[in-house]
Amino acid sequence: MEERKGFGSNFGFLMAAVGSAVGLGNIWGFPNKMGASGGFTFLIIYLILAVICGFIVMLGELALGRKTGKGAVAAYHAISKRFKWVGWLGVASAFLIMSFYCALGGYCIKYVVLNVGNLFGTGFGSNGMNGGDVFGAFLTNQSEGVIYGLIFVVLTMLIVMGGVSGGIEKFCGIGMPALFVMLLICIIRACTLPGAVNGLKYMFVPGWAVANGVIAEAPSIFEVISTAGGQMFFSLSIGMGAMITYGSYLDKKEHLEKNAVLIIVMDTLVALMAGLCVMPARFALDPEGPIGGPKLLFITMQNVFDSMDGAIGPIFGIIFYLLVVLAAVSSSISLLETVVAHFVDKAREEGKGDRRKKYSLIASILIALLCVLVCVDGLGSNGIAPWELLKLDGYKGWSDCWLDFFDMISEGVFMPLGGLLMTLMIGWEIGPEVVKNECEATEGHKMSSYPFFKVCCKYITPLCMLLILYGQLKSFFG
Ligand code: PFF
């Protein structure tokens, strides 16, 4: 049987795992949710949840992957009788998330090109239109949306075809440090703009958003917990097998606990840094613009760059959208790898060799089909939203567009459900000592967090996750 190749170094693994976690959710989700849900109060709740849920699920997934040496589907199959099928839930989540992630990643590439156009004054720039009109015109230009979406799918596929160390590790090893530097440059520019301080107040000061009319009323504590919990799951890429897959490529000599903590700390740090870039810029240069979601990225931020003098605007535009492309690609490759790993492993075990290229291509074609649907829909601009296509008038509210629909199923249901089932499996079926043994498989390492891990995994984490799942369903279904 051909050898299963993993990450070449712990740094490579860490960059790939952080790359998976750092994505679009950090940029348009976290800063706005933090501001609208109580500033520092939200941050504290987020951090508590990251410790009692995020750390537990992250460590559980990494351990499960490394112990079995298999991707999500085969790992659950190998270790559990009752939860055998949970890996497939992860693959389904990965497919659904990829559908809109690739569409949005394509939009980011389009905005890099747009800002290059603005820099050189060519016809493919904004042509004097404001951010809202440019984005509106792009969304209704279905063929352009599809082309950019497909470029992003192909980019993801090519990296995954390169393999774990030759493709994923290489890309993230360079891409993540580059992203960090670009983000720092953008933060310095944003925080030195006149009026930037309001963005900082919005993000950090409890009650500022309500007192200043940015949002109508403060959310209840239950809403804050479920918003923070949902954001945490999506942001850390947990509950769907991506970390099982990456963990399966990790060497026995690497510390699992240390890596789990580092991934969580770095992801939260980048989310806060992204906030320090987008919120000050928005409050300084486009205070009426959308404040979260895709519109923050493609309308508000483009208005911000358009309002800067001379070549500076397009140059910052190029840097900013390039960093978002990097964040999106490093996440989407982990999603595709979650799908592909299972089939590659199976082929290898059956002695058919490494069919990575073939399976990457097949999975990418299937993902491309869903991505085309999301692009043609153009965030609900083109009359084919799910409720319109499926004639479900009564459900108009929760399915404004295909992106929301796929997001609702994956982020709203499958991911928290996947996390819940995983902790139940570890806590009550196979036993938390399985994770302890795997952590201690690293020579000379003692799992110092074991007593905490055990109590959380059995009782606290599943209960919190039930709450998050309920809150997510409530927020999506109204
Ligand atoms: N963590 C990514 C983000 O914050 O945008 C989203 C994501 C990537 C979720 C990879 C799940 C995953 F496997």
Side-chain angles (χ1 to χ4, degrees):
M1 205 196 328
E2 217 174 296
E3 194 200 340
R4 192 176 193 265
K5 295 188 196 85
F7 290 105
S9 68
N10 196 60
F11 176 77
F13 161 78
L14 202 58
M15 288 302 102
V18 171
S20 170
V22 169
L24 299 173
N26 296 60
I27 299 164
W28 79 44
F30 185 88
N32 177 42
K33 285 178 188 165
M34 181 167 159
S37 309
F40 257 121
T41 326
F42 175 90
L43 182 60
I44 290 165
I45 293 173
Y46 184 91
L47 290 176
I48 294 173
L49 286 174
V51 174
I52 60 177
C53 291
F55 172 71
I56 305 300
V57 178
M58 177 77 73
L59 187 57
E61 289 201 3
L62 292 178
L64 211 61
R66 197 176 69 171
K67 179 179 170 54
T68 56
K70 294 175 193 302
V73 172
Y76 276 102
H77 230 268
I79 210 149
S80 166
K81 281 203 179 71
R82 286 198 201 109
F83 298 88
K84 265 185 174 138
W85 51 277
V86 177
W88 286 110
L89 197 66
V91 170
S93 303
F95 257 103
L96 294 177
I97 298 173
M98 280 289 275
S99 70
F100 62 85
Y101 227 84
C102 289
L104 295 167
Y107 290 8
C108 297
I109 299 178
K110 149 88 189 170
Y111 272 71
V112 174
V113 175
L114 183 98
N115 280 282
V116 171
N118 285 346
L119 183 62
F120 295 107
T122 63
F124 53 84
S126 303
N127 296 322
M129 291 200 288
N130 71 36
D133 292 342
V134 172
F135 193 48
F138 175 58
L139 290 179
T140 48
N141 186 344
Q142 292 163 310
S143 48
E144 200 186 1
V146 169
I147 290 170
Y148 279 109
L150 292 182
I151 291 176
F152 191 89
V153 175
V154 171
L155 196 64
T156 306
M157 180 187 78
L158 291 176
I159 298 170
V160 171
M161 276 182 174
V164 178
S165 63
I168 298 174
E169 183 171 356
K170 246 191 203 149
F171 178 82
C172 294
I174 299 169
M176 284 300 105
L179 177 146
F180 194 79
V181 173
M182 289 196 248
L183 194 50
L184 272 180
I185 296 173
C186 290
I187 290 173
I188 295 170
R189 175 70 283 221
C191 287
T192 49
L193 289 166
V197 72
N198 283 343
L200 301 177
K201 285 184 184 158
Y202 171 72
M203 228 180 114
F204 291 100
V205 179
W208 192 90
V210 182
N212 289 274
V214 186
I215 55 167
E217 58 177 314
S220 69
I221 183 72
F222 177 70
E223 281 167 332
V224 175
I225 294 174
S226 83
T227 306
Q231 172 67 25
M232 183 206 63
F233 257 86
F234 190 72
S235 191
L236 293 178
S237 308
I238 50 178
M240 41 119 357
M243 291 299 164
I244 298 181
T245 311
Y246 275 6
S248 74
Y249 298 121
L250 190 59
D251 200 276
K252 290 275 185 209
K253 71 177 191 299
E254 310 299 354
H255 288 196
L256 293 183
E257 281 173 293
K258 183 187 77 188
N259 276 311
V261 172
L262 281 176
I263 298 167
I264 296 171
V265 169
M266 289 195 205
D267 181 62
T268 311
L269 192 71
V270 174
L272 285 169
M273 288 172 68
L276 295 183
C277 164
V278 293
M279 287 308 158
R282 186 260 183 200
F283 277 86
L285 296 177
D286 190 16
E288 301 301 317
I291 201 164
K295 288 184 179 159
L296 165 77
L297 214 50
F298 301 115
I299 297 180
T300 310
M301 290 310 285
Q302 188 53 43
N303 279 337
V304 163
F305 301 123
D306 287 344
S307 63
M308 290 178 179
D309 283 340
I312 285 293
I315 290 174
F316 273 103
I318 294 168
I319 298 176
F320 177 77
Y321 287 111
L322 260 182
L323 87 84
V324 187
V325 170
L326 281 180
V329 176
S330 57
S331 292
S332 70
I333 51 183
S334 71
L335 290 160
L336 184 56
E337 182 62 26
T338 304
V339 178
V340 168
H342 171 62
F343 298 99
V344 169
D345 282 348
K346 209 159 161 254
R348 193 184 305 106
E349 275 161 24
E350 287 165 4
K352 294 180 188 156
D354 191 333
R355 295 193 167 176
R356 173 169 283 277
K357 287 200 170 65
K358 176 180 157 188
Y359 290 120
S360 303
L361 179 68
I362 296 173
S364 301
I365 291 173
L366 295 175
I367 286 161
L369 294 176
L370 290 182
C371 170
V372 166
L373 178 63
V374 175
C375 292
V376 170
D377 180 35
L379 302 185
S381 308
N382 300 314
I384 61 152
W387 63 270
E388 281 173 299
L389 216 62
L390 306 172
K391 308 265 173 279
L392 296 169
D393 273 9
Y395 295 97
K396 204 169 165 170
W398 55 258
S399 54
D400 269 350
C401 61
W402 282 99
L403 187 155
D404 287 350
F405 184 63
F406 290 145
D407 184 32
M408 179 188 71
I409 302 174
S410 52
E411 183 184 350
V413 185
F414 286 4
M415 287 176 83
L417 186 63
L420 172 66
L421 293 171
M422 198 209 72
T423 46
L424 289 177
M425 178 189 82
I426 294 180
W428 298 96
E429 192 194 22
I430 62 171
E433 58 284 353
V434 171
V435 172
K436 180 176 188 277
N437 292 341
E438 187 51 38
C439 285
E440 297 184 354
T442 303
E443 226 182 86
H445 183 64
K446 203 114 197 77
M447 183 181 174
S448 51
S449 65
Y450 184 60
F452 172 74
F453 181 86
K454 190 172 165 186
V455 176
C456 284
C457 199
K458 274 176 118 70
Y459 310 102
I460 303 173
T461 316
L463 275 176
C464 286
M465 252 146 20
L466 264 181
L467 216 86
I468 294 168
L469 184 60
Y470 173 72
Q472 287 281 87
L473 290 175
K474 213 164 153 257
S475 75
F476 275 110
F477 289 95

